[in-house]
Amino acid sequence: MALQEEKQAQPFTDIFDEDEAEKFFLLSKPNCLIVFGKPGSGKKTLARRVAWRLNSVFIEASEVIQTNIQQRTEYGLKCEELLCQGQSVPEELVTEMLLQRIESLEVAHFGYVLTGFPSLLEQYMTIPQQIEKIKNLKLKPDIVINIKCPDYELCQRISGQRLNPYSGEMYQRSQWDPNVTDKRKKGQDEEEEEEEDEGQKEEEDEEVNIANFQTTAEHPHKKSESFNQLVHRPEDFLENAEKRIGIYKDIVLPPLQEWLAVQDCRYIIEVDGSQQPDDVFESNKKAYVPSDKNYTCSYCYFNKQDELFRALSSYKLIAPRYRWRRSRWGQVCPVALKEGDIVMGNPEFAVSFLGKMYLLSSQEALNKFMLNPRPYLLPPMPVSPCKVFVFGPPFSGRTTVSNVIAHNYKGKV
């Protein structure tokens, strides 16, 4: 009753606590998705596009291996040594790198889009064990995307793939086969011609024919030369593609269907994989973002102190008449404060997050904040560091008192 009377006495009071809303967001779980599908169904292409759309971390075996090699990590050095010796990276090492990536600070803030797991290989863990590992992740997948495609179309798609050994780029048959590309171009030209007037159609046809004739006369082998370096991988042969799809249906599909049967059907998205891999995302992109977890965060950088407030005052407004504001940290660096030091931030390393400005003290602090700002913003932050010196004669209990104080105030001895 008293609460209702207070609300009636103050009808224009905002009942939503901004600090509580920000705390709720910082404690919320980021978007986590996993993409399943038969070999060649376009899992990697779709997962990469969804991760880009949601600003999440794309996690896949080859991507993780490449990232570790570029960053010269311990795992990356092992992978580089094995690859230089002509050996393949063992499944155990790949699984460890995948799990390490899922448990990273960046994923804890941005979330992930995982694909290629469980793996067809069972050298390290069986398929049920791999699925059990997914179920026991600290950040479990919220949404499951299952790509469905007929076996015949998949086999034709896989057998038509060609690899550029220099760039590592994969090409579909519709991109490199002259017979398919000419038919496709001819069909598009016919559709365009039907929409045009008859008079314009005749003139444009003559110009196109003359241009094509000149191009063919001057460079008769130009089109074929651009794809003559493509190679057909052994795993993409038709018989090998049929074998891989059969293994997936026999080994992976049964335990996967059992796991999906107990999942909430509202968070399972089934995608038609019979389209081109690049077109799958465009036709289903509206279904990937859950409305209660969609958020945006903007980062801005400035080099001069005089331009800081002037630039932020008009940059990317959240809403009309809504300006960027200072955070409760003021000019103090949140990263340094978390580490126990009071260091003033530098406008050169300014960043905006959730509509508020934060000034970081160095490029290293900025990188840490951008990787995952949550640990530096969650309560009890910001708390000014308090340093206590305990002294006394020998055997007077200095260590015991220090440990009690550190335990109660979450400090370090």
Side-chain angles (χ1 to χ4, degrees):
M1 292 295 294
L3 183 60
Q4 293 179 357
E5 291 178 357
E6 289 181 3
K7 289 183 178 180
Q8 292 177 359
Q10 299 177 350
F12 299 105
T13 303
D14 188 1
I15 62 174
F16 297 101
D17 188 349
E18 182 181 357
D19 294 336
E20 289 296 326
E22 183 175 333
K23 179 181 176 181
F24 176 79
F25 167 78
L26 294 173
L27 291 174
S28 64
K29 183 174 179 289
N31 290 316
C32 299
L33 296 87
I34 187 168
V35 182
F36 295 120
K38 299 175 185 176
S41 59
K43 302 186 297 294
K44 187 174 180 179
T45 302
L46 179 61
R48 190 189 300 275
R49 289 178 176 267
V50 173
W52 172 79
R53 179 77 176 183
L54 299 181
N55 195 26
S56 300
V57 180
F58 172 62
I59 301 179
E60 191 264 341
S62 60
E63 192 81 10
V64 170
I65 294 174
Q66 185 177 2
T67 302
N68 277 270
I69 292 177
Q70 292 176 351
Q71 296 178 353
R72 310 296 294 175
T73 63
E74 182 180 355
Y75 288 131
L77 295 175
K78 291 182 180 179
C79 294
E80 188 175 22
E81 182 181 356
L82 292 171
L83 293 174
C84 290
Q85 295 175 357
Q87 304 179 19
S88 60
V89 181
E91 193 68 20
E92 179 180 2
L93 188 59
V94 176
T95 304
E96 291 179 0
M97 287 188 291
L98 286 172
L99 296 178
Q100 183 190 50
R101 184 62 169 159
I102 293 175
E103 296 173 358
S104 64
L105 290 175
E106 185 179 9
V107 170
H109 176 58
F110 292 101
Y112 64 82
V113 180
L114 174 65
T115 188
F117 193 80
S119 171
L120 290 176
L121 300 177
E122 295 184 303
Q123 301 173 354
Y124 175 55
M125 289 190 299
T126 62
I127 300 299
Q129 290 176 341
Q130 295 182 55
I131 295 178
E132 193 67 25
K133 183 69 71 173
I134 296 174
K135 292 162 60 176
N136 294 329
L137 289 174
K138 184 178 180 180
L139 292 176
K140 297 181 177 61
D142 304 303
I143 299 177
V144 177
I145 301 177
N146 188 20
I147 304 177
K148 292 188 174 183
C149 187
D151 295 348
Y152 175 77
E153 293 187 14
L154 278 182
C155 292
Q156 295 300 317
R157 182 188 300 175
I158 296 174
S159 61
Q161 292 181 154
R162 296 295 186 270
L163 175 69
N164 188 331
Y166 300 101
S167 64
E169 187 174 358
M170 190 72 69
Y171 293 90
Q172 300 294 328
R173 184 183 297 275
S174 59
Q175 296 174 303
W176 64 266
D177 192 345
N179 299 326
V180 179
T181 53
D182 291 343
K183 289 181 180 179
R184 197 172 181 182
K185 185 178 180 181
K186 186 177 179 180
Q188 292 177 354
D189 292 342
E190 291 177 355
E191 292 179 359
E192 293 176 357
E193 289 173 0
E194 292 177 358
E195 297 176 356
E196 296 173 352
D197 297 330
E198 294 182 358
Q200 295 178 352
K201 180 183 67 175
E202 293 178 359
E203 296 177 359
E204 291 178 0
D205 287 345
E206 292 178 359
E207 294 176 358
V208 170
N209 290 334
I210 294 173
N212 290 338
F213 176 78
Q214 293 175 350
T215 304
T216 306
E218 295 174 0
H219 307 284
H221 303 291
K222 184 177 181 180
K223 191 172 184 179
S224 60
E225 287 177 356
S226 61
F227 294 111
N228 60 1
Q229 58 186 359
L230 301 182
V231 297
H232 195 189
R233 301 182 303 175
E235 57 265 32
D236 293 337
F237 292 165
L238 182 60
E239 57 273 14
N240 293 335
E242 294 175 347
K243 184 178 179 180
R244 287 166 57 197
I245 294 175
I247 293 175
Y248 181 89
K249 294 173 64 177
D250 295 339
I251 299 178
V252 181
L253 201 56
L256 192 60
Q257 289 178 338
E258 293 181 3
W259 180 58
L260 293 177
V262 299
Q263 300 298 311
D264 191 340
C265 61
R266 295 176 298 174
Y267 301 104
I268 298 178
I269 302 175
E270 293 187 351
V271 177
D272 180 15
S274 59
Q275 312 172 63
Q276 289 295 326
D278 293 338
D279 300 333
V280 174
F281 172 75
E282 295 298 330
S283 60
N284 297 274
K285 63 182 180 181
K286 292 184 180 180
Y288 299 142
V289 185
S291 59
D292 58 335
K293 293 188 178 181
N294 187 18
Y295 63 90
T296 58
C297 48
S298 307
Y299 295 101
C300 328
Y301 305 94
F302 305 93
N303 296 323
K304 296 181 180 179
Q305 186 172 2
D306 297 339
E307 299 178 1
L308 174 61
F309 295 104
R310 177 164 54 84
L312 281 178
S313 64
S314 60
Y315 175 79
K316 206 171 184 179
L317 302 183
I318 300 175
R321 301 181 181 276
Y322 190 98
R323 305 287 178 175
W324 299 110
R325 297 166 296 161
R326 276 189 179 275
S327 66
R328 68 184 68 175
W329 278 252
Q331 295 184 0
V332 180
C333 175
V335 176
L337 198 60
K338 178 71 174 180
E339 296 173 352
D341 295 323
I342 300 179
V343 181
M344 304 306 292
N346 189 342
E348 183 178 352
F349 306 108
V351 61
S352 64
F353 180 67
L354 296 179
K356 297 178 182 178
M357 296 181 296
Y358 300 91
L359 302 181
L360 286 305
S361 58
S362 62
Q363 183 65 46
E364 183 182 0
L366 177 64
N367 294 337
K368 291 181 179 180
F369 190 85
M370 289 183 59
L371 195 65
N372 187 355
R374 303 187 186 214
Y376 310 107
L377 305 183
L378 283 169
M381 298 298 294
V383 176
S384 300
C386 178
K387 301 179 181 179
V388 179
F389 176 60
V390 180
F391 64 96
F395 304 103
S396 61
R398 292 172 300 180
T399 304
T400 303
V401 173
S402 300
N403 290 331
V404 171
I405 294 175
H407 176 72
N408 290 338
Y409 295 97
K410 298 181 180 179
K412 295 182 179 179
V413 177

